mmCIF file of all heavy atoms in Angstrom:
data_model
loop_
_atom_site.group_PDB
_atom_site.id
_atom_site.type_symbol
_atom_site.label_atom_id
_atom_site.label_comp_id
_atom_site.label_asym_id
_atom_site.label_seq_id
_atom_site.Cartn_x
_atom_site.Cartn_y
_atom_site.Cartn_z
ATOM 1 N N LEU A 296 -6.307 -11.335 -39.452
ATOM 2 C CA LEU A 296 -5.395 -12.408 -39.871
ATOM 3 C C LEU A 296 -4.063 -11.819 -40.340
ATOM 4 O O LEU A 296 -2.990 -12.326 -39.989
ATOM 5 C CB LEU A 296 -6.034 -13.236 -40.992
ATOM 6 C CG LEU A 296 -5.217 -14.436 -41.501
ATOM 7 C CD1 LEU A 296 -4.886 -15.400 -40.370
ATOM 8 C CD2 LEU A 296 -5.969 -15.171 -42.601
ATOM 9 N N ALA A 297 -4.116 -10.741 -41.128
ATOM 10 C CA ALA A 297 -2.887 -10.089 -41.608
ATOM 11 C C ALA A 297 -2.050 -9.602 -40.427
ATOM 12 O O ALA A 297 -0.820 -9.741 -40.411
ATOM 13 C CB ALA A 297 -3.243 -8.928 -42.523
ATOM 14 N N SER A 298 -2.727 -9.062 -39.406
ATOM 15 C CA SER A 298 -2.026 -8.589 -38.203
ATOM 16 C C SER A 298 -1.368 -9.766 -37.456
ATOM 17 O O SER A 298 -0.225 -9.675 -37.027
ATOM 18 C CB SER A 298 -3.030 -7.870 -37.298
ATOM 19 O OG SER A 298 -2.584 -7.827 -35.972
ATOM 20 N N LEU A 299 -2.104 -10.872 -37.324
ATOM 21 C CA LEU A 299 -1.566 -12.056 -36.631
ATOM 22 C C LEU A 299 -0.324 -12.598 -37.337
ATOM 23 O O LEU A 299 0.642 -13.012 -36.690
ATOM 24 C CB LEU A 299 -2.634 -13.157 -36.568
ATOM 25 C CG LEU A 299 -3.762 -12.983 -35.552
ATOM 26 C CD1 LEU A 299 -4.898 -13.953 -35.833
ATOM 27 C CD2 LEU A 299 -3.251 -13.177 -34.124
ATOM 28 N N GLN A 300 -0.358 -12.598 -38.666
ATOM 29 C CA GLN A 300 0.753 -13.182 -39.428
ATOM 30 C C GLN A 300 2.043 -12.375 -39.299
ATOM 31 O O GLN A 300 3.114 -12.875 -39.623
ATOM 32 C CB GLN A 300 0.347 -13.340 -40.896
ATOM 33 C CG GLN A 300 -0.689 -14.453 -41.084
ATOM 34 C CD GLN A 300 -1.159 -14.604 -42.525
ATOM 35 O OE1 GLN A 300 -1.579 -13.629 -43.149
ATOM 36 N NE2 GLN A 300 -1.097 -15.807 -43.054
ATOM 37 N N LYS A 301 1.923 -11.140 -38.799
ATOM 38 C CA LYS A 301 3.121 -10.307 -38.614
ATOM 39 C C LYS A 301 3.659 -10.373 -37.193
ATOM 40 O O LYS A 301 4.665 -9.752 -36.880
ATOM 41 C CB LYS A 301 2.787 -8.841 -38.943
ATOM 42 C CG LYS A 301 2.502 -8.586 -40.421
ATOM 43 C CD LYS A 301 2.112 -7.129 -40.615
ATOM 44 C CE LYS A 301 1.534 -6.918 -42.007
ATOM 45 N NZ LYS A 301 0.683 -5.719 -42.063
ATOM 46 N N ARG A 302 2.962 -11.069 -36.298
ATOM 47 C CA ARG A 302 3.363 -11.092 -34.876
ATOM 48 C C ARG A 302 4.740 -11.750 -34.697
ATOM 49 O O ARG A 302 5.043 -12.747 -35.362
ATOM 50 C CB ARG A 302 2.335 -11.856 -34.042
ATOM 51 C CG ARG A 302 0.929 -11.277 -34.070
ATOM 52 C CD ARG A 302 0.783 -10.040 -33.209
ATOM 53 N NE ARG A 302 -0.472 -9.367 -33.468
ATOM 54 C CZ ARG A 302 -1.628 -9.649 -32.864
ATOM 55 N NH1 ARG A 302 -1.677 -10.586 -31.946
ATOM 56 N NH2 ARG A 302 -2.707 -8.971 -33.161
ATOM 57 N N PRO A 303 5.553 -11.236 -33.755
ATOM 58 C CA PRO A 303 6.910 -11.771 -33.579
ATOM 59 C C PRO A 303 6.945 -13.233 -33.145
ATOM 60 O O PRO A 303 7.871 -13.963 -33.475
ATOM 61 C CB PRO A 303 7.515 -10.867 -32.499
ATOM 62 C CG PRO A 303 6.351 -10.202 -31.825
ATOM 63 C CD PRO A 303 5.282 -10.104 -32.854
ATOM 64 N N TYR A 304 5.898 -13.688 -32.414
ATOM 65 C CA TYR A 304 5.960 -15.071 -31.906
ATOM 66 C C TYR A 304 5.703 -16.120 -32.987
ATOM 67 O O TYR A 304 5.954 -17.305 -32.775
ATOM 68 C CB TYR A 304 5.008 -15.288 -30.721
ATOM 69 C CG TYR A 304 3.693 -14.566 -30.759
ATOM 70 C CD1 TYR A 304 2.680 -14.941 -31.621
ATOM 71 C CD2 TYR A 304 3.453 -13.504 -29.885
ATOM 72 C CE1 TYR A 304 1.462 -14.268 -31.632
ATOM 73 C CE2 TYR A 304 2.237 -12.830 -29.889
ATOM 74 C CZ TYR A 304 1.253 -13.213 -30.762
ATOM 75 O OH TYR A 304 0.051 -12.565 -30.765
ATOM 76 N N LEU A 305 5.201 -15.716 -34.150
ATOM 77 C CA LEU A 305 4.952 -16.711 -35.208
ATOM 78 C C LEU A 305 6.240 -17.303 -35.761
ATOM 79 O O LEU A 305 6.239 -18.400 -36.309
ATOM 80 C CB LEU A 305 4.131 -16.098 -36.348
ATOM 81 C CG LEU A 305 2.608 -16.148 -36.198
ATOM 82 C CD1 LEU A 305 1.921 -15.869 -37.497
ATOM 83 C CD2 LEU A 305 2.117 -17.463 -35.634
ATOM 84 N N ALA A 306 7.348 -16.580 -35.584
ATOM 85 C CA ALA A 306 8.647 -17.076 -36.079
ATOM 86 C C ALA A 306 9.018 -18.401 -35.418
ATOM 87 O O ALA A 306 9.656 -19.259 -36.030
ATOM 88 C CB ALA A 306 9.732 -16.039 -35.809
ATOM 89 N N CYS A 307 8.590 -18.595 -34.147
ATOM 90 C CA CYS A 307 8.936 -19.853 -33.461
ATOM 91 C C CYS A 307 7.770 -20.844 -33.478
ATOM 92 O O CYS A 307 7.772 -21.817 -32.745
ATOM 93 C CB CYS A 307 9.394 -19.575 -32.023
ATOM 94 S SG CYS A 307 8.093 -18.957 -30.976
ATOM 95 N N GLN A 308 6.751 -20.558 -34.301
ATOM 96 C CA GLN A 308 5.592 -21.451 -34.401
ATOM 97 C C GLN A 308 5.299 -21.777 -35.874
ATOM 98 O O GLN A 308 4.277 -21.360 -36.428
ATOM 99 C CB GLN A 308 4.354 -20.776 -33.772
ATOM 100 C CG GLN A 308 4.412 -20.588 -32.275
ATOM 101 C CD GLN A 308 4.247 -21.893 -31.508
ATOM 102 O OE1 GLN A 308 4.122 -22.957 -32.096
ATOM 103 N NE2 GLN A 308 4.261 -21.816 -30.195
ATOM 104 N N PRO A 309 6.199 -22.538 -36.535
ATOM 105 C CA PRO A 309 5.992 -22.838 -37.958
ATOM 106 C C PRO A 309 4.682 -23.577 -38.239
ATOM 107 O O PRO A 309 4.054 -23.367 -39.284
ATOM 108 C CB PRO A 309 7.210 -23.709 -38.332
ATOM 109 C CG PRO A 309 7.789 -24.165 -37.027
ATOM 110 C CD PRO A 309 7.442 -23.137 -36.025
ATOM 111 N N LEU A 310 4.231 -24.422 -37.292
ATOM 112 C CA LEU A 310 2.981 -25.172 -37.505
ATOM 113 C C LEU A 310 1.766 -24.238 -37.406
ATOM 114 O O LEU A 310 0.786 -24.420 -38.125
ATOM 115 C CB LEU A 310 2.862 -26.324 -36.497
ATOM 116 C CG LEU A 310 3.937 -27.413 -36.639
ATOM 117 C CD1 LEU A 310 3.800 -28.457 -35.538
ATOM 118 C CD2 LEU A 310 3.854 -28.085 -38.009
ATOM 119 N N TRP A 311 1.846 -23.256 -36.525
ATOM 120 C CA TRP A 311 0.778 -22.254 -36.456
ATOM 121 C C TRP A 311 0.709 -21.475 -37.761
ATOM 122 O O TRP A 311 -0.355 -21.168 -38.269
ATOM 123 C CB TRP A 311 1.072 -21.252 -35.321
ATOM 124 C CG TRP A 311 0.781 -21.745 -33.947
ATOM 125 C CD1 TRP A 311 0.886 -23.007 -33.478
ATOM 126 C CD2 TRP A 311 0.347 -20.938 -32.850
ATOM 127 N NE1 TRP A 311 0.562 -23.053 -32.148
ATOM 128 C CE2 TRP A 311 0.229 -21.806 -31.741
ATOM 129 C CE3 TRP A 311 0.068 -19.594 -32.695
ATOM 130 C CZ2 TRP A 311 -0.170 -21.345 -30.490
ATOM 131 C CZ3 TRP A 311 -0.327 -19.133 -31.456
ATOM 132 C CH2 TRP A 311 -0.447 -20.004 -30.353
ATOM 133 N N LYS A 312 1.911 -21.147 -38.264
ATOM 134 C CA LYS A 312 2.018 -20.375 -39.510
ATOM 135 C C LYS A 312 1.260 -21.089 -40.630
ATOM 136 O O LYS A 312 0.509 -20.477 -41.391
ATOM 137 C CB LYS A 312 3.494 -20.243 -39.888
ATOM 138 C CG LYS A 312 3.892 -18.880 -40.364
ATOM 139 C CD LYS A 312 5.406 -18.814 -40.477
ATOM 140 C CE LYS A 312 5.814 -17.452 -41.002
ATOM 141 N NZ LYS A 312 7.258 -17.292 -41.068
ATOM 142 N N LYS A 313 1.456 -22.420 -40.696
ATOM 143 C CA LYS A 313 0.773 -23.224 -41.735
ATOM 144 C C LYS A 313 -0.738 -23.153 -41.569
ATOM 145 O O LYS A 313 -1.475 -23.060 -42.546
ATOM 146 C CB LYS A 313 1.237 -24.690 -41.657
ATOM 147 C CG LYS A 313 2.571 -24.927 -42.337
ATOM 148 C CD LYS A 313 2.925 -26.403 -42.309
ATOM 149 C CE LYS A 313 4.322 -26.626 -42.873
ATOM 150 N NZ LYS A 313 4.815 -27.978 -42.605
ATOM 151 N N GLU A 314 -1.194 -23.237 -40.325
ATOM 152 C CA GLU A 314 -2.644 -23.185 -40.067
ATOM 153 C C GLU A 314 -3.225 -21.837 -40.513
ATOM 154 O O GLU A 314 -4.306 -21.786 -41.103
ATOM 155 C CB GLU A 314 -2.932 -23.412 -38.582
ATOM 156 C CG GLU A 314 -2.581 -24.798 -38.066
ATOM 157 C CD GLU A 314 -3.419 -25.924 -38.674
ATOM 158 O OE1 GLU A 314 -4.585 -25.667 -39.064
ATOM 159 O OE2 GLU A 314 -2.911 -27.051 -38.777
ATOM 160 N N LEU A 315 -2.497 -20.762 -40.227
ATOM 161 C CA LEU A 315 -2.971 -19.437 -40.639
ATOM 162 C C LEU A 315 -2.955 -19.299 -42.161
ATOM 163 O O LEU A 315 -3.807 -18.622 -42.741
ATOM 164 C CB LEU A 315 -2.117 -18.335 -39.998
ATOM 165 C CG LEU A 315 -2.186 -18.227 -38.463
ATOM 166 C CD1 LEU A 315 -1.406 -17.015 -37.972
ATOM 167 C CD2 LEU A 315 -3.615 -18.138 -37.959
ATOM 168 N N GLU A 316 -1.995 -19.966 -42.806
ATOM 169 C CA GLU A 316 -1.945 -19.949 -44.282
ATOM 170 C C GLU A 316 -3.141 -20.690 -44.878
ATOM 171 O O GLU A 316 -3.711 -20.274 -45.888
ATOM 172 C CB GLU A 316 -0.629 -20.567 -44.778
ATOM 173 C CG GLU A 316 0.556 -19.613 -44.644
ATOM 174 C CD GLU A 316 1.908 -20.321 -44.732
ATOM 175 O OE1 GLU A 316 1.933 -21.548 -45.042
ATOM 176 O OE2 GLU A 316 2.942 -19.657 -44.481
ATOM 177 N N ILE A 317 -3.531 -21.793 -44.236
ATOM 178 C CA ILE A 317 -4.729 -22.543 -44.685
ATOM 179 C C ILE A 317 -5.948 -21.631 -44.584
ATOM 180 O O ILE A 317 -6.777 -21.566 -45.489
ATOM 181 C CB ILE A 317 -4.930 -23.819 -43.819
ATOM 182 C CG1 ILE A 317 -3.813 -24.835 -44.090
ATOM 183 C CG2 ILE A 317 -6.301 -24.455 -44.083
ATOM 184 C CD1 ILE A 317 -3.773 -26.000 -43.112
ATOM 185 N N MET A 318 -6.040 -20.902 -43.454
ATOM 186 C CA MET A 318 -7.155 -19.982 -43.229
ATOM 187 C C MET A 318 -7.165 -18.881 -44.296
ATOM 188 O O MET A 318 -8.207 -18.535 -44.848
ATOM 189 C CB MET A 318 -6.993 -19.353 -41.840
ATOM 190 C CG MET A 318 -8.276 -19.165 -41.070
ATOM 191 S SD MET A 318 -7.983 -18.231 -39.552
ATOM 192 C CE MET A 318 -7.607 -19.526 -38.404
ATOM 193 N N ALA A 319 -5.964 -18.336 -44.569
ATOM 194 C CA ALA A 319 -5.845 -17.232 -45.533
ATOM 195 C C ALA A 319 -6.211 -17.691 -46.942
ATOM 196 O O ALA A 319 -6.839 -16.956 -47.708
ATOM 197 C CB ALA A 319 -4.423 -16.676 -45.510
ATOM 198 N N ALA A 320 -5.832 -18.927 -47.282
ATOM 199 C CA ALA A 320 -6.106 -19.447 -48.629
ATOM 200 C C ALA A 320 -7.597 -19.700 -48.841
ATOM 201 O O ALA A 320 -8.150 -19.420 -49.905
ATOM 202 C CB ALA A 320 -5.310 -20.727 -48.858
ATOM 203 N N SER A 321 -8.272 -20.222 -47.791
ATOM 204 C CA SER A 321 -9.692 -20.574 -47.942
ATOM 205 C C SER A 321 -10.616 -19.370 -47.739
ATOM 206 O O SER A 321 -11.719 -19.331 -48.278
ATOM 207 C CB SER A 321 -10.072 -21.665 -46.946
ATOM 208 O OG SER A 321 -10.115 -21.131 -45.633
ATOM 209 N N LYS A 322 -10.125 -18.392 -46.925
ATOM 210 C CA LYS A 322 -10.966 -17.236 -46.534
ATOM 211 C C LYS A 322 -12.305 -17.695 -45.936
ATOM 212 O O LYS A 322 -13.343 -17.066 -46.121
ATOM 213 C CB LYS A 322 -11.205 -16.291 -47.710
ATOM 214 C CG LYS A 322 -9.938 -15.570 -48.164
ATOM 215 C CD LYS A 322 -10.252 -14.491 -49.178
ATOM 216 C CE LYS A 322 -9.052 -13.626 -49.524
ATOM 217 N NZ LYS A 322 -7.906 -14.361 -50.064
ATOM 218 N N LEU A 323 -12.236 -18.818 -45.223
ATOM 219 C CA LEU A 323 -13.421 -19.364 -44.555
ATOM 220 C C LEU A 323 -13.098 -19.611 -43.087
ATOM 221 O O LEU A 323 -11.972 -19.983 -42.749
ATOM 222 C CB LEU A 323 -13.853 -20.675 -45.217
ATOM 223 C CG LEU A 323 -14.370 -20.597 -46.660
ATOM 224 C CD1 LEU A 323 -14.481 -21.996 -47.248
ATOM 225 C CD2 LEU A 323 -15.719 -19.878 -46.713
ATOM 226 N N LYS A 324 -14.093 -19.455 -42.225
ATOM 227 C CA LYS A 324 -13.880 -19.693 -40.799
ATOM 228 C C LYS A 324 -14.969 -20.625 -40.277
ATOM 229 O O LYS A 324 -15.992 -20.828 -40.946
ATOM 230 C CB LYS A 324 -13.887 -18.367 -40.035
ATOM 231 C CG LYS A 324 -15.171 -17.560 -40.185
ATOM 232 C CD LYS A 324 -15.074 -16.214 -39.487
ATOM 233 C CE LYS A 324 -16.364 -15.421 -39.621
ATOM 234 N NZ LYS A 324 -16.341 -14.142 -38.930
ATOM 235 N N ALA A 325 -14.728 -21.175 -39.077
ATOM 236 C CA ALA A 325 -15.709 -22.109 -38.504
ATOM 237 C C ALA A 325 -15.764 -21.944 -37.000
ATOM 238 O O ALA A 325 -14.742 -21.728 -36.352
ATOM 239 C CB ALA A 325 -15.324 -23.535 -38.848
ATOM 240 N N GLU A 326 -16.968 -22.038 -36.464
ATOM 241 C CA GLU A 326 -17.134 -22.064 -35.012
ATOM 242 C C GLU A 326 -17.015 -23.516 -34.545
ATOM 243 O O GLU A 326 -17.227 -24.447 -35.326
ATOM 244 C CB GLU A 326 -18.506 -21.492 -34.641
ATOM 245 C CG GLU A 326 -18.659 -20.031 -35.038
ATOM 246 C CD GLU A 326 -19.987 -19.442 -34.589
ATOM 247 O OE1 GLU A 326 -20.956 -20.216 -34.448
ATOM 248 O OE2 GLU A 326 -20.046 -18.225 -34.400
ATOM 249 N N ILE A 327 -16.695 -23.696 -33.266
ATOM 250 C CA ILE A 327 -16.547 -25.055 -32.718
ATOM 251 C C ILE A 327 -17.837 -25.853 -32.935
ATOM 252 O O ILE A 327 -17.808 -27.054 -33.183
ATOM 253 C CB ILE A 327 -16.197 -25.002 -31.213
ATOM 254 C CG1 ILE A 327 -14.870 -24.267 -31.006
ATOM 255 C CG2 ILE A 327 -16.098 -26.400 -30.614
ATOM 256 C CD1 ILE A 327 -14.652 -23.736 -29.609
ATOM 257 N N GLN A 328 -18.979 -25.138 -32.899
ATOM 258 C CA GLN A 328 -20.290 -25.800 -33.049
ATOM 259 C C GLN A 328 -20.449 -26.499 -34.398
ATOM 260 O O GLN A 328 -21.357 -27.291 -34.580
ATOM 261 C CB GLN A 328 -21.430 -24.780 -32.889
ATOM 262 C CG GLN A 328 -21.665 -24.358 -31.447
ATOM 263 C CD GLN A 328 -20.759 -23.212 -31.018
ATOM 264 O OE1 GLN A 328 -19.712 -22.978 -31.610
ATOM 265 N NE2 GLN A 328 -21.146 -22.515 -29.961
ATOM 266 N N VAL A 329 -19.557 -26.208 -35.356
ATOM 267 C CA VAL A 329 -19.652 -26.839 -36.681
ATOM 268 C C VAL A 329 -19.521 -28.363 -36.564
ATOM 269 O O VAL A 329 -20.017 -29.112 -37.413
ATOM 270 C CB VAL A 329 -18.578 -26.259 -37.644
ATOM 271 C CG1 VAL A 329 -17.194 -26.867 -37.383
ATOM 272 C CG2 VAL A 329 -18.971 -26.460 -39.097
ATOM 273 N N LEU A 330 -18.892 -28.818 -35.472
ATOM 274 C CA LEU A 330 -18.696 -30.271 -35.293
ATOM 275 C C LEU A 330 -20.025 -30.994 -35.063
ATOM 276 O O LEU A 330 -20.115 -32.202 -35.262
ATOM 277 C CB LEU A 330 -17.742 -30.537 -34.122
ATOM 278 C CG LEU A 330 -16.296 -30.037 -34.308
ATOM 279 C CD1 LEU A 330 -15.475 -30.288 -33.060
ATOM 280 C CD2 LEU A 330 -15.632 -30.704 -35.516
ATOM 281 N N THR A 331 -21.060 -30.254 -34.663
ATOM 282 C CA THR A 331 -22.368 -30.903 -34.468
ATOM 283 C C THR A 331 -22.960 -31.351 -35.816
ATOM 284 O O THR A 331 -23.884 -32.147 -35.842
ATOM 285 C CB THR A 331 -23.381 -29.975 -33.759
ATOM 286 O OG1 THR A 331 -23.504 -28.775 -34.523
ATOM 287 C CG2 THR A 331 -22.939 -29.642 -32.355
ATOM 288 N N SER A 332 -22.399 -30.835 -36.930
ATOM 289 C CA SER A 332 -22.868 -31.297 -38.241
ATOM 290 C C SER A 332 -22.463 -32.757 -38.474
ATOM 291 O O SER A 332 -23.018 -33.439 -39.321
ATOM 292 C CB SER A 332 -22.321 -30.411 -39.367
ATOM 293 O OG SER A 332 -20.901 -30.527 -39.453
ATOM 294 N N LEU A 333 -21.477 -33.244 -37.701
ATOM 295 C CA LEU A 333 -21.059 -34.660 -37.805
ATOM 296 C C LEU A 333 -21.900 -35.520 -36.862
ATOM 297 O O LEU A 333 -22.317 -36.604 -37.230
ATOM 298 C CB LEU A 333 -19.562 -34.783 -37.463
ATOM 299 C CG LEU A 333 -18.617 -33.964 -38.358
ATOM 300 C CD1 LEU A 333 -17.196 -34.019 -37.825
ATOM 301 C CD2 LEU A 333 -18.655 -34.462 -39.794
ATOM 302 N N SER A 334 -22.106 -35.024 -35.640
ATOM 303 C CA SER A 334 -23.051 -35.649 -34.692
ATOM 304 C C SER A 334 -23.148 -34.733 -33.481
ATOM 305 O O SER A 334 -22.227 -33.957 -33.209
ATOM 306 C CB SER A 334 -22.614 -37.060 -34.272
ATOM 307 O OG SER A 334 -21.589 -37.004 -33.318
ATOM 308 N N GLN A 335 -24.240 -34.818 -32.745
ATOM 309 C CA GLN A 335 -24.511 -33.886 -31.647
ATOM 310 C C GLN A 335 -23.413 -33.873 -30.586
ATOM 311 O O GLN A 335 -23.055 -32.833 -30.072
ATOM 312 C CB GLN A 335 -25.863 -34.227 -30.992
ATOM 313 C CG GLN A 335 -27.063 -33.603 -31.674
ATOM 314 C CD GLN A 335 -27.000 -32.084 -31.787
ATOM 315 O OE1 GLN A 335 -26.724 -31.395 -30.819
ATOM 316 N NE2 GLN A 335 -27.230 -31.552 -32.989
ATOM 317 N N ASP A 336 -22.880 -35.062 -30.256
ATOM 318 C CA ASP A 336 -21.865 -35.128 -29.194
ATOM 319 C C ASP A 336 -20.473 -35.424 -29.751
ATOM 320 O O ASP A 336 -19.615 -35.947 -29.057
ATOM 321 C CB ASP A 336 -22.259 -36.175 -28.144
ATOM 322 C CG ASP A 336 -22.413 -37.570 -28.750
ATOM 323 O OD1 ASP A 336 -22.378 -37.687 -29.999
ATOM 324 O OD2 ASP A 336 -22.572 -38.530 -27.983
#
Side-chain angles (χ1 to χ4, degrees):
L296 182 57
S298 158
L299 284 166
Q300 289 178 308
K301 292 177 192 158
R302 300 284 168 87
Y304 36 72
L305 273 195
C307 67
Q308 292 287 2
L310 295 176
W311 283 33
K312 223 170 178 177
K313 279 184 185 168
E314 294 295 332
L315 295 186
E316 282 163 7
I317 292 169
M318 219 187 271
S321 72
K322 292 189 172 58
L323 294 168
K324 58 184 181 178
E326 297 184 333
I327 299 160
Q328 285 86 338
V329 79
L330 295 177
T331 57
S332 65
L333 301 173
S334 78
Q335 275 304 311
D336 59 351

